[in-house]
Amino acid sequence: MSKHFVWTKKDLLGLEYLSREEIEFILYTAASFKEVTTRQIKKVPALRGKTVVNLFYEPSTRTRTSFELAAKRLSADVINIAVEASSVKKGETLIDTGRNIEALKIDIIVVRHGSSGAPNILAHHVNSSVVNAGDGWHEHPTQALLDMFTLKEKLGRIEGLNVSIIGDIAHSRVARSNIWGLTKLGAKVTVCAPPLLIPEGIEKMGVRVTNDLDTALKGADAINVLRMQFERDAALAFPSKLEYFKQYGITAERLKKCKKEIVVMHPGPINRGIEISSEVADGQNSVILEQVTNGIAVRMAALYLVAHARPTGTRGGEKPL
Amino acid sequence: MTGYLIKNGRVVDPANRIDEVLDILISDGKIEKVGKSLSNGGCKAIDASGKIVGPGLVDMHTHLREPGREDKETVASGTRAAVKGGFTSVACMPNTEPEALDNEGIIKRLSGIIKKDALANVFVVGAITMGRAGKKLADFKALKKAGAIGISDDGSSVDDEKLMSEALALAKKEGLLVIGHCEDRSISDSGVINYGLISTKMGLRGIPVEAEYKRVERDIELARKAKAAIHIAHVSCKESVDIIRKARKAGVEVSAETAPHYFSLTEDCCVTYDTNLKMNPPLRTKEDAEAIKKALKDGTIDAIATDHAPHTDSEKDVEFDFAPFGILGLETALGLAVTELVEKKVLSWSELFMRMSASPARLLGIDRGDLKNGKAADIVIIDPGKEYTYTKDSIASRSKNSPFIGWKLKGKVSHVFVAGKLIDEVLADR
């Protein structure tokens, strides 16, 4: 990837909206920021004088903390705003909130929202940069970027890899962002879930679909194990946690039949004994904690790039009709 | 003599199988004469050379929101929008808030407002069930007496089969058209766009076509058993079209309408999360849009109705999940039909007036959509070749929720007569 590539988007809304070159450039930029995070003084002045707001409409500790650290390591000022889910409908509208934040001269709004497309709508109405920290079932671009960053670090490439995403594909923004990113970078992606958790038409996004875990594991260079959210929509499609673990849980026994060097990823937080056994989560193939570390470097890259593109940049989503 | 002479226009009047350059003489609110080289006899002459002169458009499916939600639309603003779009008659739906048009009192009250404020003819559709709740039938005799011409629980379907059968039989007795909003809520659930690849990509809950066509199938079956007529509102998908076509061949008295967005747009447009693309039923696939066009051509779908559904900016400018369903339609229906159907040789002008005037008038049982001598002089004159841009500023409706803002359309309305009266003020920009 050339260092002469010029990033032009003021927003990061999803990997659907990025080209292969743009995705590669974020990963390239993240690599240099990762070096910063290993220094004794883990801070650079790249965003000094800039302000980042973490606008979270859904509770999140890890993603918010990761973004906060990323912004602080770039010397930006950070403000966290948590909006109660219950006040979404009756309180101030998303657009009004966005405009008010913008009036505070905020440079970047990092938004997490339960409703798909909320960051797209926000980005359309404010001139501040908008970074999607997860919206509904739609996208979670920085998660997929850090997954790919970790994969590249471990296996040296993305192109040609067999990557299986296992779990509740239907209700997963992590799955969608990974599908967009991985297929654009030339990986062969398989999605694996019980039939009711495979969304309509997903094969047209360029992935292989299977309901059988062994099929998904066979020949895989890496697997991305999704969190099963039994407290949410997944429960209707697959009511029993124990039965899920039996059919789709990643165990040491199953891993024995896989490639020896298979990389095991999970976006966290993990449900031990539901989608993954403790033995695997803590085992040699697991890169789960490295993903967390890499998340900061990737988010530093995302914040840095959108902030610098903002004065002249283009909006990050699809053009209106 | 008070009146007008419309000269040298191409008169398109499918009800009377007329499509030729003729003059029309209007006097005392009625069509006096249609013929060649008529003399004006002291009437004001309007030169319509190069223009299309047809029966005023009739919209079977309008939401005027009054009484109750005057912030969205009123009889005055809605009929202004209607006239601007070439409509001289609209049928308004009963889903007013907070009170539905389910009793004599509210319809009488609405009729008073119509008499006072309406620029176009407004015909009232009453509710099938009280509060459109699907539990208890409204008093059809009373609705009819108050002036309703049809009944519908539009916005909801009557889930209870027995109740719906009873409604069909009773409505037949009263001579009221039953308009079915065909949606099985147990299937559409909390969906917001068409179920398929696009809903998957966007991470939004989908509304499968089954939610529509299974209810179309049921309503047709109930009508067949009751030997009654049923009109299917806002048909959006291929499956519904096929079911209606088959039923009609089998002799069931079923009619249908679609809305301009179902042949002008597809689900792919939704990817921007623009809530002005959120409507119910949702935009479907290209294949569905093609099936709709074919059905308009062969008459399986009788009418183009707008489903004009005004919502305020503050209601629409929210997350896609939270925005109400529906878009404006009155001011763009003709332009879209001309641009997407006539210009692209799907329909002839005569077929267009059939779908947008003669057929809806016949289905509603109103004496309109026809330019015969002695009929009410509801007439629209259209400049067929004139291209214009539909702008937000030009919208006469009180709401502005249209995905077509900025679109270039053909077929601009230049004159509209309602009962012989030239409604000039709303067409200042012709």
Side-chain angles (χ1 to χ4, degrees):
Chain A
M1 167 51 54
S2 156
K3 60 178 84 169
H4 300 299
F5 183 87
V6 180
W7 180 269
T8 58
K9 291 197 163 78
K10 84 158 180 84
D11 309 307
L12 175 61
L13 302 177
L15 299 192
E16 179 182 2
Y17 315 119
L18 300 187
S19 67
R20 176 181 183 142
E21 289 69 30
E22 285 170 321
I23 293 170
E24 285 177 337
F25 190 65
I26 300 176
L27 299 179
Y28 167 84
T29 310
S32 58
F33 281 124
K34 182 158 185 189
E35 188 272 323
V36 172
T37 65
T38 61
R39 290 181 198 167
Q40 227 165 18
I41 294 172
K42 301 177 180 59
K43 204 160 182 160
V44 288
L47 291 188
R48 198 172 61 182
K50 308 262 187 225
T51 313
V52 176
V53 161
N54 284 325
L55 177 63
F56 276 57
Y57 286 85
E58 274 186 344
S60 154
T61 309
R62 66 184 51 223
T63 305
R64 199 212 12 92
T65 308
S66 183
F67 268 108
E68 187 171 349
L69 271 173
K72 285 183 168 162
R73 287 181 179 170
L74 292 168
S75 306
D77 297 311
V78 188
I79 293 163
N80 292 309
I81 302 176
V83 186
E84 294 240 357
S86 60
S87 72
V88 167
K89 278 187 178 173
K90 58 189 176 192
E92 187 179 52
T93 67
L94 173 68
I95 294 168
D96 281 336
T97 303
R99 286 186 178 145
N100 274 277
I101 290 173
E102 183 168 45
L104 297 168
K105 307 295 175 198
I106 302 299
D107 300 278
I108 305 174
I109 303 173
V110 175
V111 62
R112 156 73 61 99
H113 202 294
S115 184
S116 296
N120 300 58
I121 292 170
L122 186 62
H124 187 70
H125 284 91
V126 299
N127 289 312
S128 304
S129 288
V130 174
V131 174
N132 181 2
D135 63 324
W137 307 338
H138 177 221
E139 286 231 34
H140 193 350
T142 57
Q143 178 67 46
L145 287 164
L146 75 89
D147 293 344
M148 287 190 285
F149 185 90
T150 308
L151 213 49
K152 212 174 161 192
E153 214 175 45
K154 284 284 144 190
L155 299 174
R157 66 193 167 102
I158 305 274
E159 175 105 47
L161 290 181
N162 291 306
V163 183
S164 292
I165 305 169
I166 298 150
D168 182 359
I169 308 296
H171 307 109
S172 173
R173 51 196 175 213
V174 176
R176 284 173 179 76
S177 285
N178 263 285
I179 290 169
W180 288 119
L182 287 167
T183 53
K184 281 179 186 183
L185 265 57
K188 284 173 266 176
V189 180
T190 299
V191 296
C192 173
L196 285 172
L197 296 179
I198 297 281
E200 174 75 11
I202 190 118
E203 67 286 348
K204 290 184 197 134
M205 287 173 73
V207 300
R208 180 174 70 136
V209 179
T210 179
N211 306 127
D212 175 53
L213 182 59
D214 291 324
T215 307
L217 291 178
K218 198 178 171 198
D221 298 296
I223 55 173
N224 203 336
V225 187
L226 302 176
R227 178 179 166 79
M228 279 300 286
Q229 299 196 300
F230 280 94
E231 68 275 19
R232 289 211 208 164
D233 308 279
L236 295 169
F238 212 96
S240 157
K241 291 181 188 179
L242 194 64
E243 187 57 28
Y244 185 83
F245 186 63
K246 275 189 202 158
Q247 281 191 44
Y248 292 96
I250 307 299
T251 59
E253 205 182 358
R254 279 205 155 107
L255 228 49
K256 275 184 203 143
K257 291 186 273 181
C258 298
K259 281 193 180 174
K260 196 162 168 283
E261 303 297 320
I262 188 168
V263 174
V264 177
M265 297 185 287
H266 190 298
I270 56 176
N271 291 307
R272 291 171 184 267
I274 296 178
E275 70 264 358
I276 192 165
S277 74
S278 281
E279 209 180 343
V280 174
D282 305 330
Q284 276 187 22
N285 298 83
S286 166
V287 295
I288 297 172
L289 293 175
E290 286 162 69
Q291 287 175 273
V292 176
T293 305
N294 289 336
I296 297 172
V298 162
R299 290 178 176 120
M300 286 170 80
L303 294 173
Y304 173 79
L305 292 174
V306 297
H308 284 271
R310 194 185 146 212
T312 53
T314 52
R315 294 185 193 273
E318 295 277 310
K319 281 198 187 70
L321 199 68
Chain B
M1 193 166 154
T2 60
Y4 293 93
L5 178 67
I6 303 167
K7 282 193 76 69
N8 296 321
R10 174 176 161 195
V11 175
V12 182
D13 176 19
N16 297 302
R17 295 169 188 273
I18 291 172
D19 183 353
E20 60 177 308
V21 175
L22 293 168
D23 297 346
I24 299 180
L25 186 64
I26 305 169
S27 76
D28 298 328
K30 297 211 169 356
I31 291 170
E32 176 87 17
K33 207 171 182 185
V34 182
K36 278 198 183 357
S37 311
L38 302 181
S39 69
N40 66 354
C43 289
K44 193 174 177 228
I46 291 171
D47 180 24
S49 348
K51 292 186 176 154
I52 305 278
V53 182
L57 306 181
V58 177
D59 185 19
M60 298 185 75
H61 200 129
T62 302
H63 298 274
L64 290 179
R65 307 294 189 209
E66 198 172 2
R69 287 304 304 268
E70 293 80 2
D71 55 326
K72 296 183 195 233
E73 195 77 287
T74 60
V75 168
S77 64
T79 53
R80 208 177 150 80
V83 169
K84 202 148 188 221
F87 290 91
T88 51
S89 296
V90 301
C92 67
M93 285 292 155
N95 61 335
T96 43
E97 289 173 334
E99 199 187 344
L101 307 181
D102 61 5
N103 64 77
E104 208 175 339
I106 190 169
I107 294 179
K108 280 194 171 153
R109 187 145 64 88
L110 174 59
S111 301
I113 299 167
I114 291 166
K115 208 167 173 190
K116 184 165 65 73
D117 293 345
L119 283 178
N121 310 301
V122 179
F123 298 92
V124 177
V125 177
I128 298 174
T129 64
M130 294 309 289
R132 297 168 44 256
K135 301 284 181 223
K136 184 175 174 286
L137 292 184
D139 182 347
F140 297 167
K141 208 183 262 296
L143 297 182
K144 170 101 180 175
K145 204 176 135 215
I149 56 156
I151 49 169
S152 178
D153 268 1
D154 189 52
S156 308
S157 178
V158 180
D159 288 331
D160 187 326
E161 290 195 12
K162 213 171 143 241
L163 206 62
M164 187 64 179
S165 301
E166 229 174 289
L168 285 160
L170 285 171
K172 186 181 179 182
K173 226 189 258 172
E174 296 299 332
L176 290 165
L177 178 69
V178 180
I179 301 170
H181 169 106
C182 292
E183 177 186 4
D184 184 336
R185 268 286 149 80
S186 73
I187 302 174
S188 59
D189 195 23
S190 51
V192 291
I193 64 166
N194 186 40
Y195 177 77
L197 175 61
I198 298 294
S199 67
T200 289
K201 278 187 183 176
M202 295 176 70
L204 292 172
R205 288 177 166 82
I207 302 175
V209 285
E210 285 84 354
E212 175 178 317
Y213 78 74
K214 289 203 166 162
R215 191 47 59 94
V216 169
E217 212 160 30
R218 187 208 74 170
D219 277 0
I220 288 177
E221 179 57 16
L222 296 181
R224 189 187 65 80
K225 281 188 186 153
K227 295 191 172 57
I230 177 89
H231 176 76
I232 311 292
H234 39 58
V235 171
S236 74
C237 67
K238 181 175 162 288
E239 289 82 355
S240 298
V241 167
D242 292 341
I243 290 164
I244 294 162
R245 190 178 282 126
K246 219 172 119 193
R248 189 170 299 187
K249 271 193 190 136
V252 185
E253 212 182 319
V254 53
S255 57
E257 71 188 34
T258 190
H261 36 274
Y262 300 120
F263 59 72
S264 308
L265 298 171
T266 59
E267 58 170 358
D268 310 74
C269 304
C270 299
V271 297
T272 58
Y273 295 92
D274 178 353
T275 56
N276 285 334
L277 293 157
K278 180 176 174 181
M279 63 279 285
N280 188 19
L283 297 174
R284 307 285 190 189
T285 65
K286 194 162 180 262
E287 206 190 347
D288 291 305
E290 290 306 316
I292 297 284
K293 285 187 208 173
K294 217 176 135 216
L296 280 168
K297 178 76 187 172
D298 73 15
T300 302
I301 294 178
D302 303 80
I304 296 170
T306 66
D307 199 1
H308 179 81
H311 295 293
T312 63
D313 280 354
S314 62
E315 290 172 304
K316 276 288 197 182
D317 279 349
V318 295
E319 293 84 336
F320 203 89
D321 281 334
F322 306 149
F325 291 103
I327 62 167
L328 299 182
L330 286 168
E331 293 170 72
T332 46
L334 176 66
L336 288 166
V338 171
T339 310
E340 298 294 326
L341 303 176
V342 177
E343 291 276 312
K344 293 182 180 167
K345 312 272 179 225
V346 177
L347 297 185
S348 66
W349 275 101
S350 181
E351 287 163 332
L352 178 119
F353 278 103
M354 190 62 117
R355 306 277 169 260
M356 296 187 79
S357 182
S359 292
R362 171 180 55 82
L363 292 168
L364 292 171
I366 59 175
D367 194 14
R368 296 292 193 290
D370 173 343
L371 297 179
K372 214 187 211 125
N373 298 353
K375 298 278 180 182
D378 287 359
I379 297 172
V380 60
I381 306 180
I382 301 162
D383 194 340
K386 186 162 176 179
E387 193 177 69
Y388 66 101
T389 304
Y390 176 61
T391 62
K392 195 167 183 171
D393 290 342
S394 74
I395 296 175
S397 170
R398 200 163 260 204
S399 296
K400 313 288 170 200
N401 54 312
S402 171
F404 301 112
I405 291 168
W407 277 40
K408 282 195 169 72
L409 298 173
K410 276 204 167 169
K412 191 150 174 55
V413 174
S414 75
H415 298 76
V416 174
F417 296 87
V418 177
K421 187 174 169 238
L422 179 63
I423 313 291
D424 217 12
E425 68 266 28
V426 299
L427 294 165
D429 61 342
R430 67 172 173 261

